[in-house]
Amino acid sequence: MQDDFRGRSTELRILDTKFNKSGFAMAILYGRRRIGKTRLINKFISSKKCKTISFTAVERGESELLLMMTESVLMALAPELRGEISFNSFEKLFDFVGKQAEKERIIFFIDEYPYLAKECPHIQSILQKEIDTKWKKTKLFFIICGSLVGFMKDEVLAESAPLHGRSDLELKLRPFNYLETAEFLNAYTNEEKAICYGLTNGVAKYIEQFDTRLPLEENIINQFYSIGGYFSEEQIKTVITNERQNPAIYNSIISAVATGHTKNSEIATYVGADDITYPLKVLTKAEILEKRMSKKPYYVLNDSMLEFYFRYVNRATSLINAEKGSLYFQSEVKGHIHTFMGKIFEKMAKEYLMMHAGTEGFPLLTDITDFQDSVIDEDNRPRQIEIDLLGKNGKTILLVGECKFKNAQFDMEDYEKLMDKIKYLPASNPLVCIFSLAGFSEYVREKAKNCRLIGIDEMYGKGEVQREA
């Protein structure tokens, strides 16, 4: 388990650039819970030699929030006035902060801003007026941060929002990619690092639960299948329900998608509801689900930790409470880890290709998706074609990819099937990239003309990508 700060060098550099400019500046930071937003801002603040107001909003009444913020402001700016001065409105408190910031650089950080804005709806208009009429003339560096992604998009960043156009930086914090995740897991093999990436979705707080002094299997049992494990039912609820009033239908929808019911009608049948339009919209806006378009639109989970939980842990809750979780993992889950990792390995391949886009002989891609379509084959019969990776620049297909997270090598049968599918694509001589956990058979190495054969070690930067002439 790692406690030291890692990654986020790009985000820190961007914040530093904004901070180093003179005058007022405002930064808006948002992203899913547990992703490391507060830790990033605290790391940024720790490098600055200026007064800092840090206030974390909670679900309290307006008067209590005003008292709590007053305490934070006075502690930072005028501790000698604590108990001697009070403010009867946020406007007066913000005026006080602005006056202090006329003389010196001050950081004012409001964390979990949606809780403040929901309890005090007028706070947005007050801040708008304060920024436009007073703070613009100060040296204040103002940061607001929020975990409720839908709220931040609709109420803070949207064109109709009072604060729209006031910020100098809008920064969405995303999960770590597979290479950044690996920085926390140096003691593990590359295969184990990949599995940890799948189990944590690259979320900083989740990665930290894995103690690399222990075998990976022991970590999985301790954290998912044991009483007191981090990934408990209560922990999952904080991820699922933080934006919703009725969690049951949202949990059922996520369970449906995690277990392969991905189309609207399939989800509705699984859930047992006639109309699931609204909860699907909410989950998509919260970026827990992603809607993908094809002839029949379908949904995928954006969080692989949730997918693992709802596919392989949720049904074992009673056994876990009876201290039989380890037995359940050994008999029912362990043998399915590589199957679970199939889609995560595709995601890793996408990240690899985007990191290498336009370099080392890889094409410059603007988008990488999967591909599903029905075609008419050479015998004039309908055939369903599925391809793991389709890399495009605009509408032009430049790359086709296949991914196998299996202990067996990518062999002749795998290769011939891929080549047969490619001929049905509307593409002219695309680069073919094959990603394989266990490497490649001699047949594939000899036959794969103009293909890029990429093993797990190459993906983690050890060894060279094989390039066939």
Side-chain angles (χ1 to χ4, degrees):
M1 189 181 299
Q2 302 288 346
D3 292 323
D4 52 318
F5 185 88
R6 291 173 181 261
R8 304 301 185 198
S9 57
T10 299
E11 291 86 351
L12 285 171
R13 176 178 53 78
I14 293 169
L15 286 165
D16 278 337
T17 300
K18 298 299 181 183
F19 179 85
N20 291 332
K21 291 184 177 180
S22 60
F24 173 80
M26 177 179 174
I28 298 173
L29 185 72
Y30 68 105
R32 296 271 305 281
R33 291 172 66 92
R34 310 290 187 263
I35 213 155
K37 300 179 298 298
T38 304
R39 197 165 185 182
L40 168 65
I41 297 300
N42 287 340
K43 177 68 174 179
F44 163 74
I45 288 171
S46 70
S47 67
K48 306 305 171 202
K49 296 180 179 179
C50 68
K51 293 177 181 176
T52 299
I53 306 161
S54 289
F55 172 72
T56 300
V58 292
E59 294 179 287
R60 300 286 191 276
E62 180 175 343
S63 59
E64 188 173 355
L65 286 167
L66 177 58
L67 285 172
M68 292 168 65
M69 187 182 290
T70 297
E71 182 73 6
S72 297
V73 168
L74 293 179
M75 278 285 291
L77 304 184
E80 71 280 2
L81 296 179
R82 291 175 64 207
E84 302 294 328
I85 186 175
S86 62
F87 302 93
N88 59 16
S89 69
F90 282 104
E91 192 167 5
K92 295 283 180 62
L93 180 59
F94 293 152
D95 284 347
F96 178 81
V97 172
K99 283 288 185 185
Q100 300 298 309
E102 289 176 1
K103 301 172 288 186
E104 59 182 316
R105 192 60 146 169
I106 294 172
I107 298 173
F108 186 7
F109 171 39
I110 300 179
D111 200 2
E112 296 299 354
Y113 176 76
Y115 293 134
L116 175 64
K118 283 184 172 184
E119 190 59 42
C120 316
H122 54 282
I123 199 79
Q124 307 244 65
S125 297
I126 292 173
L127 281 169
Q128 176 192 22
K129 179 182 175 183
E130 201 72 26
I131 291 167
D132 291 347
T133 62
K134 297 175 182 177
W135 284 2
K136 280 289 187 183
K137 304 170 187 175
T138 72
K139 300 175 182 178
L140 187 68
F141 191 76
F142 182 46
I143 307 171
I144 62 175
C145 184
S147 299
L148 305 185
V149 175
F151 183 94
M152 295 296 287
K153 286 180 177 179
D154 292 343
E155 305 296 333
V156 180
L157 300 172
E159 289 187 15
S160 59
L163 293 179
H164 177 75
R166 270 82 188 168
S167 66
D168 301 274
L169 173 65
E170 296 172 2
L171 190 59
K172 179 181 179 181
L173 208 62
R174 302 178 185 277
F176 290 123
N177 64 33
Y178 77 92
L179 286 180
E180 293 166 332
T181 299
E183 293 180 22
F184 294 78
L185 306 164
N186 289 331
Y188 280 169
T189 66
N190 288 332
E191 180 179 352
E192 291 171 331
K193 290 173 183 176
I195 292 171
C196 283
Y197 178 60
L199 295 172
T200 64
N201 196 51
V203 173
K205 188 67 175 178
Y206 302 163
I207 303 166
E208 291 173 354
Q209 307 313 310
F210 284 74
D211 184 348
T212 55
R213 294 169 298 182
L214 302 176
L216 174 59
E217 185 175 307
E218 189 172 341
N219 270 308
I220 296 173
I221 292 170
N222 289 347
Q223 301 305 334
F224 284 96
Y225 294 94
S226 300
I227 297 173
Y230 183 83
F231 300 99
S232 64
E233 186 176 2
E234 289 304 310
Q235 181 61 237
I236 299 304
K237 284 179 181 178
T238 68
V239 180
I240 302 298
T241 65
N242 61 2
E243 297 195 46
R244 290 159 286 283
Q245 298 298 315
N246 177 18
I249 191 163
Y250 296 95
N251 290 349
S252 294
I253 287 173
I254 291 170
S255 181
V257 176
T259 52
H261 306 82
T262 61
K263 295 182 175 63
N264 195 303
S265 59
E266 296 171 348
I267 298 169
T269 300
Y270 183 96
V271 171
D274 294 330
D275 187 2
I276 54 172
T277 304
Y278 178 74
L280 281 175
K281 182 179 179 181
V282 171
L283 287 168
T284 303
K285 188 174 290 186
E287 300 183 355
I288 292 174
L289 292 183
E290 177 187 338
K291 185 177 183 179
R292 293 186 179 174
M293 303 307 294
S294 64
K295 290 182 178 179
K296 290 186 178 180
Y298 62 101
Y299 292 86
V300 296
L301 265 171
N302 266 337
D303 190 324
S304 55
M305 183 279 289
L306 289 178
E307 183 164 354
F308 181 79
Y309 181 88
F310 279 97
R311 281 177 68 180
Y312 300 109
V313 183
N314 188 44
R315 69 185 69 175
T317 301
S318 296
L319 287 170
I320 293 169
N321 290 334
E323 300 187 33
K324 300 293 183 181
S326 177
L327 290 174
Y328 182 83
F329 172 78
Q330 295 291 346
S331 64
E332 304 296 328
V333 179
K334 184 177 179 180
H336 296 283
I337 292 290
H338 281 71
T339 301
F340 162 73
M341 281 296 299
K343 289 295 180 183
I344 288 94
F345 197 49
E346 292 175 21
K347 181 181 176 184
M348 291 170 60
K350 290 179 185 178
E351 292 174 352
Y352 177 91
L353 291 171
M354 292 308 292
M355 284 187 278
H356 290 79
T359 65
E360 302 176 27
F362 289 97
L364 186 64
L365 304 173
T366 57
D367 190 30
I368 306 174
T369 64
D370 58 1
F371 177 82
Q372 300 179 22
D373 202 3
S374 294
V375 300
I376 302 300
D377 68 13
E378 295 157 328
D379 298 320
N380 206 33
R381 292 179 300 186
R383 177 180 174 187
Q384 186 70 20
I385 298 293
E386 295 185 8
I387 292 177
D388 295 338
L389 307 172
L390 206 65
K392 298 180 180 180
N393 189 315
K395 294 183 179 181
T396 305
I397 299 171
L398 300 178
L399 181 145
V400 177
E402 187 87 348
C403 306
K404 295 292 182 186
F405 198 87
K406 296 181 178 180
N407 288 325
Q409 290 183 331
F410 196 92
D411 60 14
M412 177 177 70
E413 182 180 0
D414 298 320
Y415 176 76
E416 297 297 343
K417 283 182 178 178
L418 174 61
M419 292 300 110
D420 184 57
K421 290 188 290 187
I422 289 174
K423 68 186 181 184
Y424 293 101
L425 293 175
S428 176
N429 195 31
L431 175 65
V432 178
C433 295
I434 305 174
F435 296 82
S436 173
L437 171 66
F440 308 90
S441 68
E442 284 301 316
Y443 175 89
V444 174
R445 290 183 178 277
E446 293 173 3
K447 194 79 173 176
K449 304 296 182 182
N450 300 318
C451 292
R452 303 291 286 264
L453 307 183
I454 305 164
I456 190 78
D457 290 339
E458 288 77 24
M459 293 178 74
Y460 280 96
K462 297 177 180 179
E464 295 297 323
V465 179
Q466 178 174 333
R467 191 177 318 180
E468 298 295 338

